[in-house]
Amino acid sequence: MEKKFNDLSILHKTLGLLLSLTLLVCTPVLAAEKAKKAIQPKESKASTFEMTDADRTFIELRDAARKNDVARTQTLAASLANYPYEDYVAYFRIKPQLFDNAGVARADTNADAQVLAFLNQYQGTALADRMRNDWLLVLGKRKDWSRFDMEYPKFALDDDTQLKCYALQSKLIQGENPMKLAMDARAVLLDPRFFGLACQELVPALVGAGGMTPSEAKALGRAAGELGFETMSRRLGGEDPIAEIVKAARADPAKAFKDFSQNAPRYSKENQAVAWGVIGQFLAKKLDPRADDAYRLQQDLGFNELLSTEGQEWKVRAGLRAKDWLLVKNAIEGMNPAVRSKDPAWTYWYARALKAEGQHEKARENLELVSEQFNFYGQLAREDLGKSNHPPARTKVNDADIETMASRKGFLRGERFYAMNLRFEGNREWNWELRNMSDKQLLAAAEYAKRIALYDRVVNTADRTKQEHDFSLRYPTPFREELTPIAKQIDLNLAWAYGLIRQESRFIMNASSSVGASGLMQVMPNTGKYVAKKIGMTNYTNDKLSDTNINLTLGSNYLNMVLVDLDGSWVLASAAYNAGPSRSKAWREKLTSPTEGAIFAETIPFLETRTYVKNVLANSIYYSSVMNGQTTSLKQRLGVITPKVALASELP
């Protein structure tokens, strides 16, 4: 709840507005006696685990390793000679020797022999893959291409953007075709936040070899500049003629629009186009209708390929907000193929743009491309095609298959780390064990996670199946005996509440955010105090947020409050639960006409909240089926969002 938007003054003001609400809520009813189940969940190891002095030292070692404190890790590791997880002790001792205090790889490390010994001893494990990732960063920084090329193919996860850039550097140095390498680079260089030094070196090298144009390099630098990475911007593309316009658009896009309208003729056609694209992006993020105008000017000039990933995506959103389907179509057609293919949103909205043009057959073909996906856009596509959003047939696994999972090394190690509240390490071990599993094995692993009450692993594991599914595992309902009477008291839709909890905490009872939200429903302390007072919960203190029943009671009542305050819109209320009611209202007030809920959700300015709202609503549809056997309409739940001043006669 409001995890990244801890603006207490706004929250207090909003909560003050809610005092006018009249809600019939009562003290929570005691949970009903739990029904007997065919397979009783075992007690979670987290509830029975007792921390030892060695465990506490191990956690200290892990924290010191995260800071790359060489001296501290050496001392702590030496005191853990007989600790059960000797590979982690060794890793935490070696890793700080590979990086400086800022987390940058050290080319001058003398730990190569230790790394090789580790890789040989623990080959095939999750931690060895992590160590290889670290060492490859060192080898790339050192420009030791022969060793890099030997080790890189062994890196199983291959999820590090910097390493992809180093791999392209190595190929370039070996004389591979720079034009081909530049094509590969375009699929990698999408988000400057992950470029590191490796990608900043690659781009000028490709320009020097003739594989990439100076304009493309400046475009990548501009993408960094849009995020405020000005040093990176210059390293990638050199001095940019519109760098000051980028700064101005970041600070005040409305003023930048006005100023550039007067000054545009001073710039080349290319620079005019990219400047309008940057201004359009920042106007769109402010939900300013002039974004459509800016992007139209850019579209008329061309150079779509020189817009950043953000610029290309917000061009679509600006068109959606303005109901400018021609701009939506042109924006998607002009996208970098790697950008277009990474998110089903663009396939769905392209189909809608084609339909708006009357190209119904082509629209149907594009809808079919995403209709088999079980996400927000897959659900929308199925409804557009006249298909049901009912979950697929359930594939069951037998007890024997489930019990075999109990002996899997990665699961056992993961459970121990979860019990120590080391979720990062636990997830690494658990997810590594899932690699190469069949769908039935994944379902057995999910059932095993359910039996030991690791509900986030239930969801994570069941979500991976491709052909055989069990949506009762993808969308589990733990704590149903506790939540059902709470929701019933205030007439809160139980499927929606579960959809929200699945997104908020993945049912991790002790989940906490960086700004203090806690528990299953991620209740903020100030919100907890307000809601407790509002519903007459006496003797409330914030330490009680860890109590499951209290957390569910406060979170459910708060969700119901914002729902009432926002005219019963699940879209607005879900956004309010994540980002705060004042923001949800402000986004609504920016509307110039009634807007379908899917477009409103797609154009929410905050990435976290945009993703959150889509996932919560999509979750709720499947929860309705899992719990009640009901097939509900996502479009109906999304509804139409009207400006606050809109009259009923204005509705479509």
Side-chain angles (χ1 to χ4, degrees):
M1 182 190 300
E2 303 176 66
K3 294 186 286 301
K4 295 246 180 116
F5 316 111
N6 191 20
D7 188 336
L8 295 181
S9 63
I10 293 176
L11 180 59
H12 289 161
K13 186 181 293 184
T14 302
L15 293 177
L17 291 173
L18 289 173
L19 286 170
S20 62
L21 295 172
T22 304
L23 298 171
L24 299 176
V25 293
C26 309
T27 304
V29 174
L30 294 176
E33 182 181 356
K34 295 183 178 181
K36 293 183 179 180
K37 298 178 175 60
I39 299 176
Q40 291 288 349
K42 298 177 183 178
E43 188 172 17
S44 171
K45 290 190 178 182
S47 63
T48 59
F49 177 78
E50 292 187 10
M51 192 86 72
T52 66
D53 289 340
D55 292 328
R56 283 184 276 272
T57 301
F58 178 76
I59 293 172
E60 286 184 52
L61 172 62
R62 177 240 206 186
D63 293 341
R66 286 187 162 189
K67 299 174 184 176
N68 296 320
D69 186 337
V70 175
R72 182 69 173 152
T73 53
Q74 298 295 312
T75 300
L76 291 169
S79 68
L80 289 169
N82 297 315
Y83 195 70
Y85 300 106
E86 59 180 14
D87 53 343
Y88 274 87
V89 173
Y91 173 76
F92 290 144
R93 176 178 54 78
I94 298 168
K95 180 256 182 183
Q97 301 175 57
L98 307 181
F99 300 91
D100 63 21
N101 291 336
V104 178
R106 293 180 51 188
D108 61 347
T109 181
N110 59 3
D112 288 12
Q114 297 176 61
V115 171
L116 282 168
F118 185 95
L119 293 176
N120 288 331
Q121 183 173 359
Y122 301 110
Q123 61 181 314
T125 66
L127 202 53
D129 204 53
R130 176 69 253 180
M131 177 66 85
R132 179 167 280 111
N133 190 165
D134 295 337
W135 194 36
L136 282 164
L137 289 170
V138 170
L139 295 174
K141 179 73 176 294
R142 189 186 291 164
K143 306 296 185 274
D144 184 351
W145 300 123
S146 61
R147 173 64 75 174
F148 181 94
D149 291 343
M150 288 175 59
E151 295 295 331
Y152 185 54
K154 303 174 187 176
F155 177 35
L157 292 185
D158 195 19
D159 57 354
D160 190 314
T161 299
Q162 287 198 75
L163 294 186
K164 295 177 189 293
C165 285
Y166 276 139
L168 291 171
Q169 279 191 53
S170 178
K171 291 178 180 180
L172 184 64
I173 288 168
Q174 294 174 48
E176 291 198 25
N177 187 330
M179 299 291 288
K180 168 64 167 61
L181 295 177
M183 289 181 60
D184 294 340
R186 292 183 191 104
V188 171
L189 299 169
L190 301 179
D191 191 337
R193 290 173 297 177
F194 305 111
F195 284 4
L197 294 175
C199 301
Q200 295 176 57
E201 294 171 349
L202 173 66
V203 171
L206 285 171
V207 173
M212 185 176 285
T213 67
S215 291
E216 288 180 287
K218 287 193 187 311
L220 290 167
R222 195 174 305 118
E226 290 170 5
L227 297 174
F229 303 148
E230 294 176 9
T231 299
M232 182 191 296
S233 177
R234 288 189 293 272
R235 286 175 177 167
L236 288 165
E239 295 301 325
D240 186 352
I242 68 161
E244 292 305 314
I245 298 172
V246 174
K247 289 183 185 178
R250 266 199 346 254
D252 188 344
K255 185 176 185 301
F257 179 88
K258 180 180 178 182
D259 291 346
F260 195 67
S261 296
Q262 299 171 348
N263 299 325
R266 301 178 187 177
Y267 294 85
S268 68
K269 183 179 178 181
E270 176 183 316
N271 287 331
Q272 286 184 53
V274 295
W276 283 125
V278 171
I279 293 168
Q281 175 195 156
F282 286 101
L283 285 170
K285 289 177 176 177
K286 295 285 188 182
L287 304 181
D288 189 317
R290 284 170 291 188
D292 186 63
D293 298 328
Y295 274 124
R296 278 175 172 269
L297 290 166
Q298 177 274 314
Q299 181 66 33
D300 289 342
L301 291 163
F303 302 97
N304 292 300
E305 71 280 2
L306 298 183
L307 300 184
S308 66
T309 298
E310 284 278 286
Q312 292 178 23
E313 293 180 337
W314 278 100
K315 184 175 179 179
V316 181
R317 296 187 183 110
L320 289 171
R321 192 87 174 185
K323 303 179 179 65
D324 183 347
W325 290 105
L326 179 59
L327 183 66
V328 170
K329 178 174 176 286
N330 290 337
I332 296 173
E333 289 178 343
M335 276 182 163
N336 177 341
V339 174
R340 184 173 177 177
S341 64
K342 75 173 184 175
D343 190 334
W346 314 131
T347 302
Y348 175 76
W349 290 121
Y350 188 61
R352 290 287 305 277
L354 290 170
K355 183 178 179 181
E357 283 192 345
Q359 299 188 56
H360 297 288
E361 186 55 38
K362 287 187 177 180
R364 172 173 287 274
E365 290 173 5
N366 278 270
L367 290 171
E368 291 285 2
L369 293 176
V370 294
S371 66
E372 297 304 314
Q373 299 181 23
F374 299 119
N375 51 41
F376 181 80
Y377 290 104
Q379 291 180 349
L380 288 176
R382 283 194 294 280
E383 289 194 29
D384 284 342
L385 291 167
K387 298 179 181 180
S388 170
N389 272 321
H390 197 275
R394 180 185 180 189
T395 297
K396 296 182 179 181
V397 291
N398 59 48
D399 285 354
D401 290 336
I402 299 168
E403 290 299 331
T404 63
M405 296 297 161
S407 60
R408 291 266 192 164
K409 182 179 179 181
F411 294 161
L412 293 172
R413 288 160 67 89
E415 290 172 53
R416 172 69 178 263
F417 287 135
Y418 292 135
M420 295 168 68
N421 203 27
L422 301 177
R423 298 209 69 84
F424 183 83
E425 287 74 16
N427 290 347
R428 172 191 288 143
E429 294 292 336
W430 188 280
N431 293 342
W432 185 263
E433 195 69 42
L434 299 177
R435 293 183 323 120
N436 305 318
M437 279 191 176
S438 67
D439 283 352
K440 281 195 173 180
Q441 286 176 312
L442 288 169
L443 293 176
E447 280 283 5
Y448 172 67
K450 182 179 178 181
R451 290 188 182 187
I452 59 174
L454 285 175
Y455 296 111
D456 67 310
R457 294 300 94 193
V458 177
V459 172
N460 171 275
T461 305
D463 255 346
R464 296 169 181 253
T465 59
K466 303 299 183 184
Q467 302 297 328
E468 299 181 273
H469 310 287
D470 183 347
F471 270 44
S472 70
L473 295 173
R474 285 199 185 203
Y475 300 90
T477 56
F479 316 107
R480 190 167 180 174
E481 291 83 358
E482 293 88 340
L483 182 57
T484 298
I486 296 169
K488 187 175 181 180
Q489 281 182 335
I490 56 178
D491 197 25
L492 179 68
N493 185 282
L494 190 62
W496 181 36
Y498 264 112
L500 184 139
I501 296 171
R502 185 184 191 270
Q503 186 65 22
E504 281 285 349
S505 66
R506 282 290 197 270
F507 307 102
I508 301 171
M509 295 177 66
N510 63 347
S512 60
S513 76
S514 60
V515 295
S518 62
L520 292 171
M521 297 193 74
Q522 290 291 278
V523 181
M524 289 287 290
N526 283 346
T527 303
K529 288 180 181 178
Y530 167 75
V531 177
K533 181 178 179 181
K534 184 70 178 175
I535 67 176
M537 185 182 288
T538 59
N539 301 318
Y540 171 78
T541 54
N542 281 330
D543 62 299
K544 294 181 180 178
L545 283 177
S546 59
D547 180 276
T548 299
N549 197 275
I550 289 176
N551 194 281
L552 292 172
T553 298
L554 296 176
S556 297
N557 275 278
Y558 180 67
L559 180 59
N560 193 57
M561 288 176 180
V562 294
L563 179 66
V564 172
D565 193 40
L566 291 164
D567 303 326
S569 168
W570 282 20
V571 174
L572 294 172
S574 297
Y577 197 93
N578 179 260
S582 61
R583 288 188 175 89
S584 194
K585 290 177 181 179
W587 297 333
R588 179 188 191 181
E589 289 167 3
K590 292 280 189 177
L591 292 173
T592 57
S593 63
T595 299
E596 63 177 278
I599 290 177
F600 185 93
E602 181 59 62
T603 57
I604 289 172
F606 296 163
L607 171 61
E608 179 186 325
T609 307
R610 186 166 63 248
T611 303
Y612 180 94
V613 170
K614 290 188 282 190
N615 287 346
V616 167
L617 270 292
N619 291 346
S620 72
I621 299 304
Y622 288 131
Y623 269 115
S624 290
S625 292
V626 168
M627 294 190 300
N628 309 314
Q630 298 176 346
T631 302
T632 55
S633 166
L634 176 59
K635 287 197 170 188
Q636 183 179 355
R637 287 302 187 192
L638 288 163
V640 174
I641 312 299
T642 60
K644 190 62 177 176
V645 296
L647 301 175
S649 59
E650 296 177 314
L651 297 176

